Amino acid sequence: MGKKIRMGMVGGGEGAFIGAIHRMAASLDGEIELVAGCFSSNPERGRSSGEKLGLNPERVYQSYEQMFLEESQRAVDERIEFVSVVTPNDLHLPVSIAALREGFHVLSDKPAASTLEETLALKNEVVRSGHLYGLTHTYAAYPLVTQARAILARGELGQVRRVTVAYPQGWLALAGDSSGSKQASWRTDPTRSGESGCFADIGTHAHHLVEFFTGQRISEVCADLQSVVDKRALDDDGAALFKLDQGARGTLTASQVCGGEGNNLNISVYCEHGSLFWEQESPNQLQLKRRGQPVAFLKAGADCEYLDDDVRALCRTPQGHPEGYIEAFANIYRDFAAQVRCRRQELPIKNSSVVGNIDAGVRAMAFVRGALESSRANSSWVSLAPYWE
């Protein structure tokens, strides 16, 4: 395997939920080492975070600009090789661009940027730099999601006809929830989150899951977005009809005001000869229905020979030993590390099946923009193709 891939992190300091998730995922397979970071805009919090992580104090930086500059001046075999961006949305663009310009690869939390225009600008920067850029659309990295994609791609169930995807959460159901945590406060603030709240935060996950499952693009959208909680500036609930570019149609709902719900992302894909159903809260099971046959339940596991080889490679334990969110995140980090290793050794890069790319980021924000425009125009149909073609 060679020396570990060296990672720097921006964001994710004390009190940040997602930063710890990223660090656990990056370390799970032993291929990545966190060696530097700028963990907070608050210098004391950043210093404390680095100390608790056991980092060299000289490599715990007060700003991401300082980190990129000083790391770029270190020896090639010592400096960071890629940057994990785990900040609020408003910093995804400037941090990613600064990292690319200093010669570092980037793996960013989604969305790629706060708006469609910013994401298109980032795409130009990625292309210009020639460096690797990845997005952590976590749910595509579950083994059985990849198995579902393979079943549909082979045409085992015939042509896709209808897709239903729902992502209900309940953590912002009450007015007081907006200020109940650091994560809630920035997600409901237009200056930090961007032009959309719920649809940019979790609607983009649902959008990506549809496209990943089917291998098709959402080409048109008819949406109704709203802010259910009084005085909330951004959407916290919404629903959309959509069309796929090969003729199928579907529905997408995303809401953060469904009291009692946790993280209930689920998707059904209906075809000519059968259907598939998967839900994130029971991720080790894929329901397969064929006409005239009993319902089959495919299980995740490294020893499940009925799964495709590349799907079993995403599993770490035999069936019956549940793997979940951290392991799915780790699959993204492992695949991205493999890409970085290929660059390090000047070898061709095998396209990853689970790491989102900048084009996926553009299409996600085009979906958000189209949904917003549709909702403002009394839920009229909006074509997304002009945004990403």
Side-chain angles (χ1 to χ4, degrees):
M1 181 175 68
K3 296 177 64 176
K4 291 183 178 182
I5 302 297
R6 299 177 299 279
M7 179 179 83
M9 177 170 281
V10 178
E14 294 174 324
F17 157 74
I18 203 64
I21 297 294
H22 278 259
R23 288 190 290 271
M24 284 187 281
S27 66
L28 187 60
D29 293 299
E31 295 192 11
I32 297 171
E33 180 182 11
L34 176 67
V35 297
C38 170
F39 300 105
S40 175
S41 57
N42 179 304
E44 179 56 31
R45 186 180 298 125
R47 182 201 62 76
S48 176
S49 298
E51 183 178 277
K52 290 179 179 178
L53 292 169
L55 294 184
N56 180 345
E58 294 181 358
R59 301 183 78 171
V60 178
Y61 300 95
Q62 295 189 11
S63 71
Y64 65 84
E65 296 96 339
Q66 179 196 18
M67 181 168 83
F68 299 157
L69 177 61
E70 294 193 18
E71 287 293 318
S72 67
Q73 295 173 350
R74 291 179 176 270
V76 172
D77 61 352
E78 180 186 356
R79 70 180 64 148
I80 59 174
E81 294 175 270
F82 81 96
V83 178
S84 174
V85 183
V86 296
T87 66
N89 294 358
D90 61 314
L91 288 172
H92 289 185
L93 178 74
V95 173
S96 296
I97 286 180
L100 291 167
R101 288 181 177 176
E102 285 291 349
F104 302 117
H105 308 301
V106 172
L107 184 62
S108 176
D109 217 354
K110 43 64 54 196
S114 298
T115 66
L116 175 61
E117 288 77 15
E118 286 188 355
T119 310
L120 289 168
L122 177 57
K123 179 178 178 178
N124 290 336
E125 197 68 36
V126 171
V127 173
R128 185 203 64 77
S129 72
H131 300 309
L132 299 172
Y133 177 87
L135 278 172
T136 58
H137 279 287
T138 320
Y139 306 108
Y142 281 97
L144 290 178
V145 171
T146 296
Q147 185 65 47
R149 176 185 173 98
I151 290 171
L152 295 173
R154 288 193 290 264
E156 292 183 22
L157 301 179
Q159 185 177 6
V160 175
R161 289 179 168 173
R162 174 157 294 277
V163 181
T164 63
V165 61
Y167 200 159
Q169 295 179 335
W171 71 299
L172 294 177
L174 304 176
D177 294 336
S178 298
S179 57
S181 70
K182 181 179 179 179
Q183 290 75 32
S185 61
W186 74 255
R187 280 179 169 84
T188 55
D189 180 357
T191 65
R192 307 297 307 280
S193 183
E195 61 188 350
S196 170
C198 175
F199 254 51
D201 188 21
I202 63 174
T204 50
H205 273 308
H207 167 273
H208 186 264
L209 197 60
V210 170
E211 294 199 339
F212 188 85
F213 250 72
T214 65
Q216 301 178 32
R217 294 181 178 183
I218 293 180
S219 58
E220 295 181 60
V221 63
C222 168
D224 177 29
L225 277 58
Q226 61 174 338
S227 297
V228 173
V229 174
D230 189 39
K231 297 182 180 179
R232 188 167 282 166
L234 295 171
D235 57 282
D236 53 21
D237 176 82
L241 303 174
F242 63 82
K243 299 178 184 178
L244 290 170
D245 59 3
Q246 295 182 28
R249 302 202 176 197
T251 59
L252 183 154
T253 60
S255 179
Q256 294 173 316
V257 295
C258 297
E261 285 287 5
N263 196 53
N264 191 19
L265 173 63
N266 61 87
I267 183 170
S268 295
V269 180
Y270 300 97
C271 307
E272 296 172 271
H273 308 299
S275 64
L276 294 165
F277 172 77
W278 180 84
E279 58 183 344
Q280 193 273 155
E281 292 187 353
S282 300
N284 296 292
Q285 178 174 287
L286 175 67
Q287 188 176 121
L288 170 60
K289 297 180 181 180
R290 299 179 188 269
R291 289 193 62 186
Q293 297 185 26
V295 178
F297 295 91
L298 306 185
K299 300 295 184 68
D303 60 342
C304 293
E305 294 185 2
Y306 55 78
L307 299 178
D308 289 13
D309 290 345
D310 61 337
V311 175
R312 293 204 305 274
L314 295 174
C315 303
R316 294 169 178 80
T317 59
Q319 62 177 314
H321 297 78
E323 296 185 23
Y325 189 64
I326 303 297
E327 288 85 357
F329 244 117
N331 286 335
I332 294 174
Y333 270 92
R334 185 171 62 186
D335 275 12
F336 195 73
Q339 293 182 33
V340 174
R341 196 175 298 282
C342 286
R343 282 294 182 91
R344 179 197 280 180
Q345 298 173 356
E346 299 183 351
L347 297 174
I349 293 175
K350 179 182 177 181
N351 289 331
S352 171
S353 63
V354 298
V355 180
N357 59 24
I358 189 59
D359 289 327
V362 169
R363 292 197 303 276
M365 293 313 294
F367 170 75
V368 171
R369 175 63 58 79
L372 288 167
E373 290 190 358
S374 172
S375 186
R376 292 166 185 155
N378 296 316
S379 301
S380 59
W381 282 97
V382 173
S383 173
L384 306 184
Y387 296 127
W388 40 254
E389 284 185 341

